[in-house]
Amino acid sequence: MQKAMLLLLLVVSAELRSQSLHHLEPAKNHYLELQQLDATPNAERSELDKKSFMPNEYRSVSLSYILMAPAYLTTEQVEELKNSVAFPANSSNQTQAELEFLLAWQAKRTPAQEKRASQVLAPVGYWPHMDIKKDHERYNKNVRDLMFEGREVLGEGCTAANYPATFKLLQGVTKDMRIMEFTVKYHLLRARPYVLEPKLQPLAIMGSPSFASGHTLWAYIQAFTWSELVPHKREQFLDLAYEIGESREIMGIHYPSDEEAARVLAHGMLTAMWSNPKFQGDLKAAKGEWR
């Protein structure tokens, strides 16, 4: 038994040395520009620093994800990643610039952009608790949504039935993403941008804290995972994730710093998963479907 375990560890170690995760691309466009600004509190707007997501807005479903056991991450890794990100102060010059950026989007967004953001991209999302019972009213949509980025980039044939190992890998990755999303959100309790800026007219009112963006965390961890399976499509997957993140700004429900933090956090999560033999086994099986 001990020899078998040692052999398994040696095989996994050899595989880890023979392949490596793609590096994280640098921030770009307005995400890069805005993060150059002062993120510390500004005394002239100190009242804004008192605003946060309020306890009476907590939702039990989202809170329940904090109690779940991760698929690939350890609880220690979740804790470490939770403390690796922070948002600029509400009163900071950076946040003020981000609010102005969102107001500019509000003034220029077209009906087509609003429809794409709120009716096409916003409803997409995989929720592990809906996988427990196949007769759940949203079970089939949930399964289909998990393969959304694959279909968008690779075509309609990208389904759970056609690629079961890929589906299994994405299930584990996205379960951990939901755990991380709400662990960070309820740790930091950032108020939504329309709470700080009353001129904003969001296309939706959200029931969870703003930071980091869950939709963007989902978009990028999926994009990073897909691009390990189909490396020559990495640019297309990242472009799609960028669009999904930007759609939250078009809707007026997330600050740009919510999106950029989610992108960085997604890569940090995948980096942490990389040394997990179970993750590597599922990744190897999924890769076998794309050779």
Side-chain angles (χ1 to χ4, degrees), residues 1-242:
M1 185 70 174
Q2 288 181 336
K3 289 183 178 179
M5 284 298 296
L6 179 59
L7 179 60
L8 174 61
L9 290 173
L10 288 172
V11 169
V12 170
S13 178
E15 288 185 354
L16 288 175
R17 287 195 300 270
S18 67
Q19 57 184 337
S20 59
L21 177 66
H22 281 88
H23 292 298
L24 177 65
E25 288 79 358
K28 63 181 182 179
N29 300 339
H30 62 288
Y31 300 112
L32 176 60
E33 295 169 8
L34 288 165
Q35 67 182 213
Q36 308 302 315
L37 301 177
D38 188 355
T40 62
N42 184 319
E44 295 179 2
R45 296 184 288 266
S46 59
E47 284 299 309
L48 291 176
D49 291 321
K50 299 177 183 178
K51 295 182 180 292
S52 66
F53 191 80
M54 303 302 291
N56 63 349
E57 299 175 290
Y58 292 2
R59 288 189 177 181
S60 57
V61 171
S62 58
L63 281 170
S64 69
Y65 277 93
I66 301 174
L67 304 175
M68 289 186 182
Y72 298 129
L73 295 173
T74 65
T75 53
E76 292 77 15
Q77 287 172 328
V78 171
E79 187 70 12
E80 183 178 350
L81 287 163
K82 176 188 80 173
N83 292 312
S84 71
V85 291
F87 63 88
N90 290 350
S91 65
S92 69
N93 293 346
Q94 181 178 342
T95 296
Q96 287 303 299
E98 292 188 6
L99 291 171
E100 291 170 7
F101 181 85
L102 295 179
L103 286 171
W105 249 126
Q106 179 172 283
K108 70 182 181 182
R109 65 192 180 198
T110 67
Q113 288 172 325
E114 291 181 0
K115 183 177 180 180
R116 171 78 173 163
S118 63
Q119 298 180 35
V120 177
L121 298 178
V124 178
Y126 172 78
W127 298 91
H129 71 277
M130 293 179 189
D131 262 358
I132 296 173
K133 296 283 287 180
K134 290 188 176 182
D135 57 357
H136 191 291
E137 62 179 355
R138 291 177 61 187
Y139 177 84
N140 290 330
K141 179 184 183 301
N142 202 43
V143 169
R144 182 171 170 79
D145 281 357
L146 189 61
M147 303 293 280
F148 172 78
E149 290 195 8
R151 285 197 315 279
E152 287 286 295
V153 174
L154 303 171
E156 286 298 318
C158 192
T159 66
N162 290 340
Y163 298 96
T166 299
F167 182 75
K168 180 184 177 184
L169 175 68
L170 292 175
Q171 277 184 307
V173 167
T174 312
K175 178 187 181 184
D176 286 8
M177 170 255 135
R178 288 296 178 200
I179 292 170
M180 183 59 63
E181 171 190 2
F182 293 114
T183 296
V184 171
K185 282 180 179 290
Y186 284 105
H187 173 57
L188 295 174
L189 298 173
R190 189 182 199 183
R192 294 279 174 169
Y194 48 78
V195 174
L196 301 191
E197 178 47 77
K199 294 178 184 176
L200 279 172
Q201 299 172 357
L203 301 183
I205 298 297
M206 307 306 293
S208 64
S210 195
F211 186 91
S213 168
H215 229 62
T216 309
L217 187 61
W218 155 73
Y220 274 105
I221 202 163
Q222 284 242 339
F224 292 144
T225 303
W226 274 110
S227 65
E228 296 303 322
L229 302 178
V230 193
H232 66 282
K233 293 288 186 179
R234 183 175 179 86
E235 185 175 353
Q236 291 94 317
F237 281 117
L238 294 184
D239 285 347
L240 176 58
Y242 186 98

